Structure formats: structure tokens, C-alpha cells
């Protein structure tokens, strides 16, 4: 339940909570004043629901993601309006970024045409993750919230939480990356060829035909088939590694920042803040680069 | 797996919401920013390539024009030279002809004048001779009188004239 606006800063755990309560309390909330002295401020592993729309509960990290979406949509519209043959201002900067990113992507795909097909997905993922990472760092996000009663103690629930500090977000992104790469593979190399990357029927069918010329195929091709089966597990592993890497890094960053703030709220968290800004870029870069690699691998026909 | 879902509060509704979010980002970013931007960038690089090619073409044409100009000038010069020489020769020839003609004319005229003079002189001489003979006879007759007859006289006079006249 939404009891009051609660400002959570470092070291304030009992004190500020009390003062805030006394200032903001209304008559009916008076009874909570005592209990909220032991407010739990631990960053949780999961995003807390803020409000519900029908059966759908909106979490604080979802709100942050919406903010990012809004930012990017506005940005896209601004770019659309500003596009001119002779680049100026923001277009110039954006073109520079796009050109650089495409050069980087070229070094992975090795083909400009392929880059141009994959690039929109990867670049959108990069911007989305980067902004989500950074938006979680803004002061006030993760520290402004309300108190909720439960199990005999008050739990502090922030209104906002970094979008990528929620496994739901990163899992969704990872699913899009892996499913998208497989779809891309189907589109570029064809459904039969792509299917054979995992369940390699082609290799098995080859055995009785070619076994007279190459008797070794009897050993090699079953191994190839088995490798294909392992690839299926590999796809699942990709989802797990992508989602948990991003979530882990960003969540750890938030935990680090809040614990630093608890030790000493002034100046001390600043270097860690910079560190987290860099981590935000690096994680976004890693995620999008891996996504690019998966797309590239999926779009190349397997060599035998 | 159940433990995982419980620990991280994985909710398929939230998952779908995030997928939709990302889908919107991809769509909007692609349609409104990247696509027109890429188109513009492609167009620009095409334009640059084209104009570079055009510049090369123009330079080539300029060089060609320069060369043809040079050629035309030399040709014209040569032609002018030829014409000048021809004219010179013609003029020389005409001059020579005219000169020769004039000389001939002059010679002819001189000849004619000479002949005329000669003829005049002849007639005059003849006339003078006749007159002189008559005069001498008359003078001699008067001087000598009738010492001599007419015939002998005349004969004598004529002989004398002949002697002096030649």
C-alpha cells in the first residue's frame, strides 16, 4: 500500500525515515510510524510492482523502460525532422555515430549489405540497453519510493528502477536476439538449411550414399549430427548468458552504488558512478556485439 | 526453473511488455531515423561519386578542346603561309608580265617614232634637194648669165649637188 512518499538516502535508514514520517504523516498513518523505523532498504533481485492495470502489474523497471522508449521515439522524430542533404548539428553527430558503428559491424559481418540488414536491430538494441543502463544511474531513480507493509516490517519500494536491472527486460532482449537471429538465418539461408544446423538430417542421409567412397563418414557424420543437437542447447545457453550477464552487471552496479552511499554518501560514490557509466556502455556494447555475431553466424550457410 | 522464476519474479506478461517496448524502439528507430538517414547517406555518397566523375569528364573535354584549338591554329597558320606564298608568287608573275609588256610597247613606240622621223627627214631632204637645185640654177644663171646653155648648166648643177649631197 502506498503510505507516503519516502526519500531514501544514505545513512538515513532509521533517522530520515522517522523525520519523513513525522512530517508527512496523516492521521490514519500514525500507527505505521513506529514500525517504519525498521524499513528494509535492500535492493531486491526483482522489480517491484507499482500499480496494476487489470491483471497486469506494472513494475518500476517497466516504467523506466517506457521512459527509454519515449526518449528514443522523440529522438527518432527529431532526427527524422532534421535530416537534410547537408548534415548539420545533431544529424552530423548521429551520422558519425552510425557510420562508426557500421564500420565496426562491417568488421564482424565482412559484408556491407549484410551489415545494413542486421544493423537496425543491433543498433536499436544498443541504444535501448545503453539508455536503460544509464537511466538507472540518475539520482532519484532507486531512491525515491514508498513504504509497503508486509510480514511485520516496512519495505521500501522505489518508484523507478533501471530497466536492465530486471531479469524480465534482459530475458526479453535475449529472447529477441536469439529468436531473431534464428529467424534471420531462416530468411537468408532458407528453412531447410537452417533446420539442418540443429537437426542435421542431411548429414545422416549422406552416409548410405557416400559410404563406399568414404568409409570414414560412418564415424564422422554421426558426430556431426550430435554437434548439431548440442547447438540446440547452445541456443538456450545464449539466452541464459545474454540475459544474466546484462542483468548481473547492471544490478550489481546498483547494489554497489547503494552500498557505497551507505558507507559515506558524499564524494565516495562518485568514482563508482563513473565506473557504472562505463559499465553501462560496455554492457550495451557487449550485448549488441554478441547479437550481431549471432545474426552473422545464423546468416552464413554452414561449411562442410 | 520454478525457483528461478520465483527468485527473479519472471512474469510472461512483463516479458511480452518488454518485447513490445523493444519492438517499438526497433520500429521507430528504423523507420524514422535509420532508414531515411541511410538513404540520405547513400544518396550523398552517390552524388559525390557522380560529381567527381563529372569533374574528370569536364577536365578531359577541356583538354581535348585545348588540343583541337592548338591544332586548328597551326593548320590556319600553315594555310595562311601557303596563301601568302601563292599571292607573292602571283604578284611577282604579274609584275614581270606587265613590265615586259610595257617594255615592248615602249620599244614599239620608239621604233615607230624613229621611222616617222626618218620618213619626215627623207621627204624634207628630197624637197630641199629639189628646191636647192632650182635655187642654185637660178642663182647660177643670174651670176653666169648666158655663158652656158641651159642643158649643160643643169647638168653641171646636178652633178655638183650630187657631190655635195652625198
Amino acid at each position: 500500500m502506498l503510505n507516503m512518499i519516502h526519500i531514501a538516502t544514505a545513512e538515513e535508514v532509521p533517522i530520515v525515515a522517522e523525520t519523513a514520517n513525522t512530517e508527512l504523516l496523516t492521521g490514519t498513518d500514525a500507527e505505521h510510524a513506529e514500525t517504519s523505523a525498521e524499513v528494509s532498504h535492500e535492493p531486491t533481485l526483482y522489480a517491484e510492482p507499482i500499480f496494476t492495470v487489470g491483471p497486469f502489474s506494472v513494475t518500476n523497471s517497466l516504467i523506466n523502460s517506457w521512459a527509454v522508449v519515449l526518449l528514443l521515439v522523440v529522438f527518432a522524430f527529431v532526427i527524422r525532422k532534421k535530416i537534410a542533404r547537408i548534415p548539420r548539428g545533431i544529424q552530423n553527430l548521429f551520422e558519425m555515430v552510425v557510420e562508426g558503428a557500421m564500420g565496426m559491424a562491417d568488421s564482424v559481418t565482412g559484408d556491407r549489405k549484410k551489415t545494413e540488414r542486421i544493423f537496425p536491430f543491433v543498433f536499436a538494441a544498443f541504444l535501448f540497453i545503453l539508455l536503460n543502463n544509464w537511466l538507472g544511474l540518475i539520482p532519484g531513480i532507486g531512491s525515491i519510493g514508498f513504504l509497503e507493509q508486509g510480514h511485520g516490517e516496512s519495505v521500501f519500494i522505489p518508484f523507478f528502477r533501471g530497466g536492465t536491472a530486471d531479469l524480465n527486460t534482459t530475458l526479453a532482449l535475449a529472447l529477441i536476439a536469439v529468436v531473431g537471429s534464428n529467424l534471420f538465418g531462416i530468411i537468408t539461408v532458407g528453412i531447410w538449411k537452417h533446420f539442418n544446423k540443429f537437426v542435421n538430417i542431411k548429414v545422416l542421409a549422406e552416409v548410405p550414399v557416400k559410404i563406399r567412397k568414404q568409409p570414414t563418414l560412418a564415424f564422422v557424420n554421426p558426430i556431426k549430427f550430435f554437434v548439431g543437437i548440442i547447438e540446440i542447447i547452445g541456443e538456450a545457453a545464449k539466452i541464459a548468458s545474454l540475459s544474466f550477464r546484462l542483468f548481473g552487471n547492471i544490478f550489481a552496479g546498483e547494489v554497489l552504488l547503494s552500498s557505497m552511499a551507505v558507507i559515506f554518501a558524499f564524494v565516495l560514490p562518485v568514482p563508482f558512478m563513473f565506473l557504472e557509466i562505463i559499465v553501462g556502455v560496455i554492457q550495451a556494447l557487449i550485448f549488441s556485439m554478441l547479437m550481431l555475431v549471432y545474426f552473422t553466424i545464423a546468416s552464413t550457410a554452414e561449411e562442410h | 526453473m520454478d525457483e528461478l522464476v520465483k527468485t527473479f519474479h519472471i512474469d510472461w506478461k512483463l516479458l511480452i511488455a518488454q518485447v513490445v517496448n523493444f519492438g517499438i524502439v526497433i520500429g521507430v528507430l528504423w523507420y524514422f531515423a535509420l532508414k531515411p538517414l541511410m538513404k540520405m547517406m547513400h544518396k550523398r555518397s552517390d552524388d559525390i561519386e557522380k560529381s567527381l566523375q563529372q569533374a574528370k569528364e569536364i577536365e578531359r573535354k577541356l583538354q581535348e578542346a585545348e588540343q583541337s584549338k592548338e591544332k586548328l591554329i597551326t593548320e590556319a597558320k600553315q594555310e595562311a603561309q601557303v596563301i601568302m606564298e601563292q599571292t607573292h608568287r602571283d604578284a611577282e608573275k604579274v609584275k614581270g608580265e606587265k613590265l615586259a609588256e610595257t617594255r615592248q610597247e615602249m620599244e614599239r613606240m620608239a621604233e615607230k617614232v624613229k621611222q616617222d622621223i626618218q620618213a619626215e627627214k627623207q621627204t624634207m631632204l628630197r624637197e630641199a634637194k629639189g628646191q636647192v637645185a632650182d635655187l642654185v640654177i637660178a642663182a647660177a644663171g643670174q651670176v653666169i648669165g648666158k655663158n652656158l646653155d641651159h642643158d649643160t648648166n643643169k647638168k653641171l648643177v646636178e652633178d655638183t649637188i650630187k657631190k655635195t649631197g652625198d
Side-chain angles (χ1 to χ4, degrees):
Chain A
M1 283 302 107
L2 199 134
N3 283 334
M4 66 214 75
I5 301 296
H6 184 85
I7 313 291
T9 49
E11 296 186 298
E12 49 69 73
V13 182
I15 310 143
V16 177
E18 268 176 352
T19 52
N21 289 342
T22 48
E23 278 165 21
L24 291 168
L25 280 184
T26 52
T28 49
D29 290 325
E31 49 186 322
H32 300 305
E34 277 75 43
T35 48
S36 61
E38 301 149 29
V39 173
S40 155
H41 267 90
E42 277 171 24
T44 49
L45 268 173
Y46 47 84
E48 297 91 344
I50 302 297
F51 60 89
T52 52
V53 182
F56 185 76
S57 59
V58 176
T59 59
N60 41 17
S61 70
L62 187 61
I63 294 174
N64 250 34
S65 299
W66 282 342
V68 170
V69 171
L70 192 73
L71 270 176
L72 282 176
V73 167
V74 169
F75 174 72
F77 277 106
V78 169
I79 288 283
R80 179 77 192 89
K81 267 205 163 175
K82 286 256 168 92
I83 280 179
R85 210 151 147 253
I86 294 148
R88 226 174 270 285
I90 192 170
Q91 191 196 347
N92 228 337
L93 187 78
F94 191 58
E95 265 185 27
M96 224 163 70
V97 171
V98 168
E99 196 62 43
M102 280 190 45
M104 212 151 119
D106 275 342
S107 64
V108 175
T109 59
D111 179 10
R112 195 67 199 234
K113 279 225 167 103
K114 205 186 264 182
T115 306
E116 275 174 14
R117 292 180 67 189
I118 304 172
F119 189 72
F121 300 96
V122 174
F123 193 64
F126 177 76
L127 286 185
F128 186 68
I129 294 168
L130 182 71
L131 282 185
N132 264 319
N133 291 350
W134 279 355
L135 210 64
L137 296 177
I138 293 172
I141 285 175
S143 56
I144 298 177
F146 59 89
L147 295 174
E148 197 179 57
Q149 302 304 136
H151 307 298
E153 57 163 3
S154 291
V155 179
F156 170 73
I157 293 175
F159 284 132
F160 304 103
R161 179 190 173 99
T164 41
D166 173 15
L167 195 65
N168 281 307
T169 314
T170 58
L171 197 59
L173 286 168
L175 277 171
I176 285 178
V178 172
V179 172
S181 72
N182 281 303
L183 283 178
F184 190 69
I186 288 170
I187 290 167
T188 43
V189 300
I191 190 159
W192 174 244
K193 271 190 184 168
H194 193 72
F195 178 71
N196 271 299
K197 283 179 189 169
F198 301 109
V199 185
N200 213 334
I201 297 167
K202 230 199 286 182
V203 166
L204 281 188
E206 229 175 43
V207 175
V209 181
K210 289 191 180 170
I211 197 151
R212 289 206 176 169
K213 283 185 192 167
Q214 296 165 271
T216 49
L217 281 185
F219 299 103
V220 175
N221 281 10
I223 293 171
K224 276 187 183 169
F225 182 80
F226 188 65
V227 168
I229 299 292
I230 289 176
E231 289 278 323
I232 298 172
I233 302 164
E235 293 301 301
K238 276 178 191 173
I239 296 174
S241 73
L242 275 181
S243 57
F244 277 104
R245 181 187 304 110
L246 185 55
F247 166 72
N249 272 285
I250 303 309
F251 180 68
E254 285 185 4
V255 172
L256 176 68
L257 279 181
S258 60
S259 38
M260 282 302 142
V262 167
I263 293 169
F264 191 67
F266 302 97
V267 185
L268 183 64
V270 172
F272 295 96
M273 205 74 177
F274 281 116
L275 182 76
E276 285 314 311
I277 289 172
I278 295 167
V279 167
V281 182
I282 290 172
Q283 287 306 319
L285 199 64
I286 288 174
F287 193 99
S288 44
M289 274 312 239
L290 281 173
M291 195 169 158
L292 177 64
V293 170
Y294 295 159
F295 269 72
T296 312
I297 290 170
S299 67
T300 43
E302 209 164 1
E303 304 273 327
H304 285 292
Chain B
M1 202 65 178
D2 230 28
E3 193 64 27
L4 200 72
V5 169
K6 217 180 272 171
T7 316
F8 294 104
H9 284 211
I10 296 170
D11 180 358
W12 63 270
K13 281 181 237 156
L14 283 174
L15 266 178
I16 287 170
Q18 293 291 10
V19 168
V20 168
N21 279 350
F22 187 53
I24 292 169
V25 168
I26 289 181
V28 169
L29 210 62
W30 166 237
Y31 189 75
F32 288 105
L34 284 176
K35 202 170 106 184
L37 194 80
M38 275 184 186
K39 218 165 97 185
M40 187 60 70
M41 279 156 85
H42 274 296
K43 206 175 136 202
R44 194 183 306 136
S45 61
D46 281 356
D47 280 358
I48 289 170
E49 209 163 291
K50 215 193 287 171
S51 48
L52 277 178
Q53 224 159 25
Q54 269 173 353
K56 222 179 259 175
E57 185 82 0
I58 287 166
E59 200 166 323
R60 201 175 56 79
K61 275 196 179 147
L62 197 74
Q63 230 160 23
E64 269 180 18
E66 199 86 12
Q67 272 173 357
S68 70
K69 192 179 98 185
E70 206 86 344
K71 214 173 102 189
L72 272 176
I73 287 174
T74 32
E75 266 178 17
K77 263 186 191 163
Q78 276 173 353
E79 217 160 290
Q81 190 79 21
V82 169
I83 289 169
M84 287 271 279
E85 271 170 24
Q86 186 69 35
T87 318
H88 211 254
R89 264 204 304 274
D90 284 357
E92 206 69 26
K93 210 169 114 192
V94 169
K95 198 170 118 192
E97 273 172 12
K98 282 273 170 214
L99 216 63
E101 225 169 80
T102 316
R103 199 169 279 153
Q104 271 177 3
E105 189 83 0
M106 269 166 70
E107 268 169 19
R108 213 166 52 237
M109 271 165 71
E111 195 72 23
K112 202 180 161 205
V113 169
K114 220 187 244 173
Q115 274 172 4
D116 281 359
I117 290 170
Q118 206 72 26
E120 198 87 352
K121 194 175 136 192
Q122 223 52 223
T123 38
M124 269 176 71
L125 221 58
R126 231 182 353 257
E127 259 170 41
K129 266 181 190 166
Q131 273 178 5
V132 167
D134 282 346
L135 203 64
V136 169
I137 290 170
Q142 276 192 351
V143 174
I144 309 164
K146 286 180 182 144
N147 289 353
L148 292 169
D149 62 292
H150 190 265
D151 289 329
T152 43
N153 211 1
K154 190 161 183 167
K155 205 181 165 247
L156 184 73
V157 170
E158 273 174 0
D159 283 347
T160 321
I161 286 167
K162 226 173 232 171
K163 266 180 206 163
T164 56
D166 287 333

